[in-house]
Amino acid sequence: MRQSVACLRKAWELDPGNLRALRLLGVVLYALGEVDAALQVYRDWLQRAPDDPLALHMLAACGGAQAPLRAGDRY
């Protein structure tokens, strides 16, 4: 899985608009137990797409934000 991190970071570096790479990078980092790094990825994602319901969900799921009472309609 460590190789996945390197590949996803490179994909994001080559295409900063590649939000799919950010999403996957966050998931892999979280699975590796690198929660702080995953939180930073989700914060970066939200800087690029502030209203993205999945990014908001993932940030809350990692403990980086208060979980809403219910998922948003777009989620």
Side-chain angles (χ1 to χ4, degrees):
M1 273 210 290
R2 294 262 172 225
Q3 219 173 8
S4 298
V5 171
C7 289
L8 290 165
R9 285 189 193 278
K10 187 65 174 179
W12 183 49
E13 177 186 318
L14 293 172
D15 180 7
N18 188 346
L19 298 180
R20 184 171 183 229
L22 276 181
R23 177 180 61 86
L24 294 172
L25 178 58
V27 169
V28 171
L29 288 168
Y30 184 80
L32 289 170
E34 297 181 28
V35 178
D36 290 338
L39 285 169
Q40 188 56 54
V41 167
Y42 295 132
R43 288 183 184 114
D44 289 344
W45 181 2
L46 282 167
Q47 284 181 343
R48 287 158 179 74
D51 296 327
D52 190 300
L54 185 55
L56 291 166
H57 169 80
M58 296 304 288
L59 183 66
C62 288
Q66 178 76 24
L69 295 176
R70 67 182 273 298
D73 292 339
R74 288 183 51 218
Y75 179 75

Coordinates of all heavy atoms in Angstrom, one line a residue:
M1 N 0.8 -1.2 0.0 CA 0.0 0.0 0.0 C 0.9 1.3 0.0 O 0.4 2.3 -0.5 CB -0.9 0.0 1.2 CG -2.2 -0.7 0.9 SD -3.7 -0.1 1.8 CE -3.3 -0.6 3.5
R2 N 2.1 1.2 0.5 CA 2.9 2.3 0.5 C 3.2 2.8 -0.9 O 3.3 4.0 -1.1 CB 4.3 2.0 1.2 CG 4.1 1.7 2.6 CD 4.5 2.9 3.5 NE 4.1 2.6 4.9 CZ 3.5 3.5 5.6 NH1 3.1 4.6 5.2 NH2 3.2 3.1 6.9
Q3 N 3.3 1.9 -1.8 CA 3.6 2.3 -3.2 C 2.4 3.1 -3.8 O 2.5 4.0 -4.6 CB 3.8 1.0 -4.1 CG 4.8 1.2 -5.1 CD 5.1 -0.1 -5.8 OE1 4.5 -1.2 -5.6 NE2 6.2 -0.1 -6.6
S4 N 1.2 2.7 -3.3 CA 0.0 3.4 -3.7 C 0.0 4.9 -3.3 O -0.4 5.8 -4.0 CB -1.3 2.8 -3.1 OG -1.4 1.5 -3.5
V5 N 0.5 5.1 -2.1 CA 0.7 6.5 -1.6 C 1.6 7.3 -2.5 O 1.2 8.4 -2.9 CB 1.2 6.5 -0.1 CG1 1.6 7.9 0.3 CG2 0.2 5.9 0.8
A6 N 2.7 6.7 -2.9 CA 3.6 7.4 -3.8 C 3.0 7.7 -5.1 O 3.1 8.8 -5.7 CB 4.9 6.6 -4.0
C7 N 2.3 6.7 -5.7 CA 1.6 6.9 -7.0 C 0.5 7.9 -6.9 O 0.4 8.8 -7.9 CB 1.1 5.6 -7.5 SG 2.3 4.4 -7.9
L8 N -0.3 7.9 -5.9 CA -1.4 8.9 -5.8 C -0.9 10.3 -5.6 O -1.4 11.2 -6.1 CB -2.3 8.4 -4.7 CG -3.2 7.2 -5.0 CD1 -3.8 6.6 -3.7 CD2 -4.2 7.5 -6.1
R9 N 0.2 10.4 -4.8 CA 0.8 11.7 -4.6 C 1.3 12.3 -5.9 O 1.2 13.5 -6.2 CB 1.9 11.7 -3.5 CG 1.4 11.6 -2.1 CD 2.6 11.7 -1.1 NE 2.3 11.4 0.2 CZ 1.6 12.1 1.1 NH1 1.2 13.3 0.7 NH2 1.4 11.6 2.3
K10 N 1.9 11.4 -6.7 CA 2.5 11.8 -8.0 C 1.3 12.2 -9.0 O 1.4 13.2 -9.7 CB 3.3 10.7 -8.6 CG 4.0 11.1 -9.9 CD 5.1 12.1 -9.6 CE 5.9 12.4 -10.8 NZ 6.9 13.5 -10.5
A11 N 0.3 11.4 -8.9 CA -0.9 11.7 -9.8 C -1.5 13.1 -9.4 O -1.8 13.9 -10.3 CB -2.0 10.7 -9.6
W12 N -1.5 13.4 -8.1 CA -2.0 14.7 -7.7 C -1.1 15.8 -8.1 O -1.5 16.9 -8.5 CB -2.3 14.6 -6.2 CG -2.9 15.9 -5.7 CD1 -4.0 16.6 -6.2 CD2 -2.5 16.6 -4.5 NE1 -4.2 17.7 -5.4 CE2 -3.3 17.7 -4.4 CE3 -1.5 16.4 -3.6 CZ2 -3.2 18.6 -3.4 CZ3 -1.3 17.4 -2.6 CH2 -2.2 18.4 -2.5
E13 N 0.2 15.5 -7.9 CA 1.2 16.5 -8.3 C 1.2 16.9 -9.8 O 1.3 18.1 -10.2 CB 2.6 16.0 -7.9 CG 3.8 16.9 -8.3 CD 5.1 16.2 -8.1 OE1 5.3 15.5 -7.1 OE2 6.0 16.3 -9.0
L14 N 1.0 15.9 -10.6 CA 0.9 16.1 -12.0 C -0.4 16.8 -12.5 O -0.4 17.5 -13.5 CB 1.1 14.8 -12.8 CG 2.4 14.1 -12.7 CD1 2.4 12.7 -13.3 CD2 3.5 15.0 -13.3
D15 N -1.5 16.5 -11.7 CA -2.8 17.1 -12.0 C -3.5 17.5 -10.7 O -4.2 16.8 -10.1 CB -3.6 16.0 -12.8 CG -5.0 16.6 -13.1 OD1 -5.3 17.8 -12.9 OD2 -5.9 15.8 -13.6
P16 N -3.2 18.8 -10.3 CA -3.8 19.2 -9.0 C -5.3 19.3 -9.0 O -5.9 19.4 -7.9 CB -3.2 20.7 -8.9 CG -2.0 20.7 -9.7 CD -2.3 19.7 -10.9
G17 N -5.9 19.2 -10.1 CA -7.4 19.1 -10.2 C -7.9 17.7 -10.0 O -9.1 17.5 -10.0
N18 N -7.0 16.7 -9.8 CA -7.4 15.3 -9.8 C -7.9 15.0 -8.4 O -7.2 14.5 -7.5 CB -6.2 14.4 -10.1 CG -6.6 13.0 -10.2 OD1 -7.7 12.5 -9.8 ND2 -5.7 12.2 -10.8
L19 N -9.2 15.3 -8.1 CA -9.8 15.1 -6.8 C -9.9 13.6 -6.5 O -9.9 13.2 -5.3 CB -11.1 15.9 -6.6 CG -11.0 17.4 -6.8 CD1 -12.3 18.0 -6.6 CD2 -10.0 18.0 -5.8
R20 N -10.1 12.8 -7.5 CA -10.2 11.4 -7.3 C -8.9 10.8 -6.6 O -8.9 10.0 -5.7 CB -10.4 10.7 -8.6 CG -10.6 9.2 -8.4 CD -11.1 8.5 -9.7 NE -11.4 7.1 -9.5 CZ -10.9 6.2 -10.2 NH1 -10.2 6.4 -11.3 NH2 -11.2 4.9 -9.9
A21 N -7.7 11.3 -7.1 CA -6.5 10.9 -6.5 C -6.4 11.4 -5.0 O -5.9 10.6 -4.2 CB -5.3 11.5 -7.3
L22 N -6.9 12.6 -4.7 CA -6.9 13.0 -3.3 C -7.8 12.1 -2.5 O -7.4 11.7 -1.3 CB -7.4 14.4 -3.2 CG -6.4 15.5 -3.4 CD1 -7.0 16.9 -3.3 CD2 -5.2 15.4 -2.5
R23 N -9.0 11.8 -3.0 CA -9.9 10.9 -2.3 C -9.2 9.6 -1.9 O -9.2 9.1 -0.8 CB -11.2 10.7 -3.0 CG -12.1 9.7 -2.3 CD -13.4 9.5 -3.1 NE -13.2 8.9 -4.5 CZ -13.1 7.6 -4.7 NH1 -13.2 6.7 -3.7 NH2 -12.9 7.2 -5.9
L24 N -8.6 9.0 -3.0 CA -8.0 7.7 -2.8 C -6.8 7.7 -1.9 O -6.5 6.9 -1.1 CB -7.6 7.1 -4.1 CG -8.8 6.7 -5.0 CD1 -8.3 6.3 -6.4 CD2 -9.6 5.6 -4.4
L25 N -6.0 8.8 -2.0 CA -4.9 9.0 -1.1 C -5.3 9.1 0.3 O -4.7 8.5 1.2 CB -4.1 10.3 -1.5 CG -2.9 10.7 -0.7 CD1 -1.9 9.6 -0.7 CD2 -2.3 12.0 -1.2
G26 N -6.3 9.8 0.6 CA -6.9 9.9 2.0 C -7.3 8.5 2.5 O -7.0 8.2 3.6
V27 N -8.0 7.8 1.7 CA -8.4 6.4 2.1 C -7.2 5.5 2.4 O -7.2 4.8 3.4 CB -9.3 5.8 1.0 CG1 -9.6 4.3 1.3 CG2 -10.6 6.6 0.9
V28 N -6.2 5.5 1.5 CA -5.0 4.7 1.7 C -4.3 5.1 3.0 O -3.9 4.3 3.8 CB -4.1 4.7 0.5 CG1 -2.8 4.0 0.8 CG2 -4.8 4.1 -0.7
L29 N -4.1 6.4 3.2 CA -3.4 6.9 4.4 C -4.1 6.5 5.6 O -3.5 6.1 6.6 CB -3.2 8.4 4.3 CG -2.2 8.9 3.3 CD1 -2.3 10.4 3.1 CD2 -0.7 8.5 3.7
Y30 N -5.4 6.7 5.6 CA -6.2 6.3 6.8 C -6.0 4.8 7.1 O -5.9 4.4 8.2 CB -7.7 6.6 6.6 CG -8.5 6.4 7.8 CD1 -8.5 7.2 8.9 CD2 -9.3 5.2 7.9 CE1 -9.3 7.0 10.0 CE2 -10.0 4.9 9.0 CZ -10.0 5.8 10.1 OH -10.8 5.6 11.2
A31 N -6.1 4.0 6.0 CA -6.0 2.5 6.2 C -4.6 2.1 6.7 O -4.4 1.1 7.4 CB -6.2 1.8 4.8
L32 N -3.6 2.9 6.4 CA -2.2 2.7 6.9 C -2.0 3.2 8.3 O -1.0 3.1 8.9 CB -1.2 3.3 6.0 CG -1.0 2.7 4.6 CD1 -0.1 3.6 3.7 CD2 -0.4 1.3 4.8
G33 N -3.1 3.8 8.9 CA -3.0 4.4 10.2 C -2.4 5.8 10.3 O -2.1 6.3 11.4
E34 N -2.2 6.4 9.2 CA -1.7 7.8 9.1 C -2.8 8.8 9.1 O -3.0 9.5 8.1 CB -0.7 7.9 7.9 CG 0.5 7.0 8.0 CD 1.4 7.1 6.8 OE1 1.5 8.2 6.2 OE2 2.1 6.1 6.5
V35 N -3.5 8.8 10.2 CA -4.7 9.6 10.3 C -4.4 11.1 10.1 O -5.2 11.8 9.4 CB -5.5 9.4 11.6 CG1 -6.7 10.2 11.7 CG2 -5.8 7.9 11.7
D36 N -3.4 11.6 10.7 CA -3.1 13.1 10.5 C -2.8 13.4 9.0 O -3.3 14.4 8.6 CB -1.9 13.4 11.4 CG -2.2 13.4 12.8 OD1 -3.4 13.6 13.2 OD2 -1.2 13.3 13.6
A37 N -2.1 12.5 8.3 CA -1.9 12.8 6.9 C -3.2 12.7 6.1 O -3.4 13.5 5.2 CB -0.8 11.8 6.4
A38 N -4.0 11.8 6.5 CA -5.3 11.6 5.8 C -6.2 12.9 6.0 O -6.8 13.4 5.1 CB -6.1 10.4 6.3
L39 N -6.2 13.4 7.3 CA -6.9 14.6 7.6 C -6.4 15.8 6.7 O -7.2 16.6 6.2 CB -6.8 15.0 9.1 CG -7.6 14.1 10.0 CD1 -7.2 14.3 11.4 CD2 -9.1 14.3 9.8
Q40 N -5.1 15.9 6.6 CA -4.6 17.0 5.7 C -5.0 16.8 4.3 O -5.3 17.8 3.6 CB -3.1 17.0 5.8 CG -2.5 18.3 5.2 CD -3.1 19.6 5.7 OE1 -3.0 19.8 6.9 NE2 -3.6 20.4 4.8
V41 N -5.0 15.6 3.8 CA -5.5 15.4 2.4 C -6.9 15.8 2.3 O -7.3 16.5 1.3 CB -5.3 13.9 2.0 CG1 -6.1 13.6 0.8 CG2 -3.9 13.6 1.9
Y42 N -7.8 15.5 3.2 CA -9.2 15.9 3.2 C -9.4 17.4 3.3 O -10.2 18.0 2.6 CB -10.0 15.1 4.2 CG -10.1 13.6 3.9 CD1 -9.8 12.7 4.9 CD2 -10.3 13.2 2.6 CE1 -9.9 11.4 4.7 CE2 -10.3 11.8 2.4 CZ -10.1 10.9 3.4 OH -10.1 9.6 3.1
R43 N -8.5 18.0 4.1 CA -8.6 19.5 4.2 C -8.1 20.1 2.8 O -8.7 21.1 2.4 CB -7.7 20.0 5.3 CG -8.3 19.7 6.7 CD -7.4 20.2 7.8 NE -8.0 19.8 9.1 CZ -7.4 19.0 9.9 NH1 -6.2 18.4 9.7 NH2 -8.0 18.6 11.1
D44 N -7.1 19.6 2.2 CA -6.7 20.0 0.9 C -7.8 19.9 -0.1 O -8.0 20.8 -1.0 CB -5.4 19.3 0.4 CG -4.2 19.6 1.2 OD1 -4.2 20.7 1.9 OD2 -3.2 18.9 1.1
W45 N -8.5 18.7 -0.1 CA -9.6 18.5 -1.0 C -10.7 19.5 -0.8 O -11.2 20.1 -1.8 CB -10.1 17.1 -0.7 CG -11.2 16.6 -1.5 CD1 -11.8 17.2 -2.6 CD2 -11.8 15.3 -1.3 NE1 -12.8 16.3 -3.0 CE2 -12.9 15.2 -2.3 CE3 -11.7 14.2 -0.5 CZ2 -13.7 14.1 -2.4 CZ3 -12.5 13.1 -0.6 CH2 -13.5 13.0 -1.5
L46 N -11.0 19.8 0.5 CA -12.0 20.8 0.7 C -11.6 22.2 0.3 O -12.5 23.1 0.0 CB -12.4 20.8 2.2 CG -13.3 19.6 2.6 CD1 -13.4 19.5 4.1 CD2 -14.7 19.8 2.0
Q47 N -10.3 22.5 0.3 CA -9.9 23.8 -0.2 C -10.2 24.0 -1.7 O -10.5 25.0 -2.2 CB -8.4 24.0 0.1 CG -8.1 24.4 1.5 CD -6.6 24.6 1.7 OE1 -5.8 24.2 0.9 NE2 -6.3 25.2 2.8
R48 N -10.1 22.9 -2.4 CA -10.4 22.9 -3.8 C -11.9 22.7 -4.2 O -12.3 23.2 -5.2 CB -9.6 21.8 -4.5 CG -8.1 22.1 -4.5 CD -7.2 20.9 -4.7 NE -5.8 21.2 -4.7 CZ -5.1 21.6 -3.7 NH1 -5.6 21.7 -2.5 NH2 -3.8 21.8 -3.8
A49 N -12.6 22.1 -3.3 CA -14.0 21.8 -3.5 C -14.8 22.0 -2.2 O -15.1 20.9 -1.6 CB -14.2 20.4 -4.1
P50 N -15.0 23.2 -1.7 CA -15.5 23.4 -0.4 C -16.9 22.8 -0.1 O -17.2 22.5 1.1 CB -15.5 24.9 -0.3 CG -14.9 25.5 -1.5 CD -14.7 24.4 -2.4
D51 N -17.7 22.6 -1.1 CA -19.0 22.0 -0.8 C -19.1 20.6 -1.2 O -20.2 20.0 -1.2 CB -20.0 22.8 -1.7 CG -20.1 24.3 -1.2 OD1 -19.9 24.5 0.0 OD2 -20.4 25.1 -2.1
D52 N -18.0 19.9 -1.4 CA -18.0 18.5 -1.8 C -18.5 17.7 -0.6 O -17.9 17.6 0.4 CB -16.6 18.0 -2.2 CG -16.7 16.7 -2.9 OD1 -17.1 15.7 -2.2 OD2 -16.3 16.5 -4.0
P53 N -19.7 17.0 -0.7 CA -20.2 16.3 0.4 C -19.4 15.1 0.8 O -19.3 14.7 2.0 CB -21.6 15.8 -0.1 CG -21.5 15.9 -1.6 CD -20.5 16.9 -1.9
L54 N -18.7 14.4 -0.1 CA -17.9 13.3 0.2 C -16.6 13.7 1.0 O -16.3 13.1 2.0 CB -17.4 12.5 -1.0 CG -16.7 11.2 -0.8 CD1 -17.4 10.3 0.1 CD2 -16.4 10.6 -2.1
A55 N -16.0 14.9 0.6 CA -14.9 15.4 1.3 C -15.3 15.8 2.8 O -14.6 15.5 3.7 CB -14.3 16.6 0.6
L56 N -16.4 16.4 2.9 CA -16.9 16.8 4.2 C -17.2 15.5 5.1 O -16.8 15.5 6.3 CB -18.2 17.6 4.1 CG -18.1 19.0 3.5 CD1 -19.5 19.5 3.1 CD2 -17.4 19.9 4.5
H57 N -17.7 14.5 4.5 CA -18.0 13.2 5.2 C -16.7 12.6 5.6 O -16.5 12.2 6.8 CB -18.8 12.3 4.3 CG -18.9 10.9 4.9 ND1 -19.7 10.6 5.9 CD2 -18.1 9.8 4.6 CE1 -19.5 9.3 6.2 NE2 -18.6 8.8 5.4
M58 N -15.7 12.5 4.7 CA -14.5 11.8 5.0 C -13.7 12.6 6.1 O -13.1 12.0 7.0 CB -13.6 11.7 3.8 CG -14.2 10.8 2.7 SD -14.7 9.1 3.3 CE -13.0 8.4 3.4
L59 N -13.7 13.9 6.1 CA -13.1 14.7 7.1 C -13.7 14.4 8.5 O -13.0 14.1 9.5 CB -13.1 16.2 6.8 CG -12.4 17.1 7.8 CD1 -10.9 16.9 7.8 CD2 -12.7 18.5 7.5
A60 N -15.0 14.4 8.6 CA -15.7 14.1 9.8 C -15.5 12.6 10.2 O -15.3 12.3 11.4 CB -17.2 14.3 9.7
A61 N -15.4 11.7 9.3 CA -15.2 10.3 9.6 C -13.9 10.0 10.2 O -13.7 9.1 11.0 CB -15.4 9.4 8.4
C62 N -12.9 10.9 9.9 CA -11.5 10.7 10.4 C -11.4 11.5 11.7 O -10.3 11.5 12.3 CB -10.5 11.2 9.4 SG -10.3 10.2 8.0
G63 N -12.4 12.2 12.2 CA -12.4 12.9 13.4 C -11.9 14.3 13.2 O -11.5 15.0 14.2
G64 N -11.8 14.8 12.0 CA -11.3 16.2 11.8 C -12.3 17.3 11.8 O -12.0 18.4 11.6
A65 N -13.6 16.9 12.0 CA -14.7 17.9 12.0 C -15.9 17.2 12.7 O -16.0 16.0 12.8 CB -15.1 18.3 10.6
Q66 N -16.7 18.1 13.2 CA -18.0 17.6 13.8 C -18.8 16.9 12.8 O -19.1 17.4 11.7 CB -18.7 18.8 14.4 CG -20.0 18.4 15.1 CD -19.8 17.8 16.4 OE1 -18.8 18.0 17.1 NE2 -20.8 17.1 16.9
A67 N -19.3 15.7 13.1 CA -20.2 15.0 12.2 C -21.6 15.7 12.2 O -22.1 16.0 13.2 CB -20.3 13.5 12.6
P68 N -22.1 15.9 11.0 CA -23.5 16.4 10.9 C -24.5 15.5 11.5 O -24.3 14.3 11.6 CB -23.7 16.7 9.4 CG -22.8 15.7 8.8 CD -21.6 15.5 9.7
L69 N -25.7 16.0 11.8 CA -26.8 15.1 12.3 C -27.2 14.1 11.2 O -27.6 13.0 11.5 CB -27.9 16.0 12.7 CG -27.7 16.8 13.9 CD1 -28.9 17.7 14.2 CD2 -27.3 16.0 15.1
R70 N -27.1 14.5 9.9 CA -27.5 13.6 8.8 C -26.6 14.0 7.6 O -26.1 15.1 7.6 CB -28.9 13.7 8.5 CG -29.4 15.1 7.9 CD -30.8 15.2 7.5 NE -31.3 14.7 6.3 CZ -30.9 15.2 5.1 NH1 -30.0 16.1 4.9 NH2 -31.5 14.7 4.0
A71 N -26.5 13.0 6.8 CA -25.7 13.3 5.5 C -26.5 14.3 4.7 O -27.7 14.3 4.6 CB -25.5 12.0 4.8
G72 N -25.8 15.1 4.0 CA -26.4 16.1 3.1 C -27.0 15.4 1.9 O -26.7 14.2 1.6
D73 N -28.0 16.0 1.3 CA -28.7 15.4 0.2 C -27.8 15.0 -1.0 O -28.0 14.0 -1.6 CB -29.8 16.4 -0.3 CG -30.9 16.6 0.7 OD1 -31.1 15.7 1.6 OD2 -31.6 17.6 0.6
R74 N -26.8 15.8 -1.2 CA -25.8 15.5 -2.3 C -25.0 14.3 -2.0 O -24.4 13.7 -2.9 CB -24.9 16.7 -2.6 CG -25.7 17.8 -3.3 CD -24.8 19.0 -3.7 NE -23.6 18.6 -4.4 CZ -22.4 19.1 -4.3 NH1 -22.2 20.0 -3.4 NH2 -21.4 18.6 -5.0
Y75 N -24.8 14.0 -0.7 CA -24.0 12.8 -0.4 C -24.8 11.5 -0.8 O -24.3 10.6 -1.3 CB -23.7 12.8 1.1 CG -22.8 11.6 1.5 CD1 -21.5 11.5 1.2 CD2 -23.4 10.5 2.2 CE1 -20.7 10.4 1.5 CE2 -22.6 9.4 2.5 CZ -21.3 9.4 2.2 OH -20.5 8.3 2.5

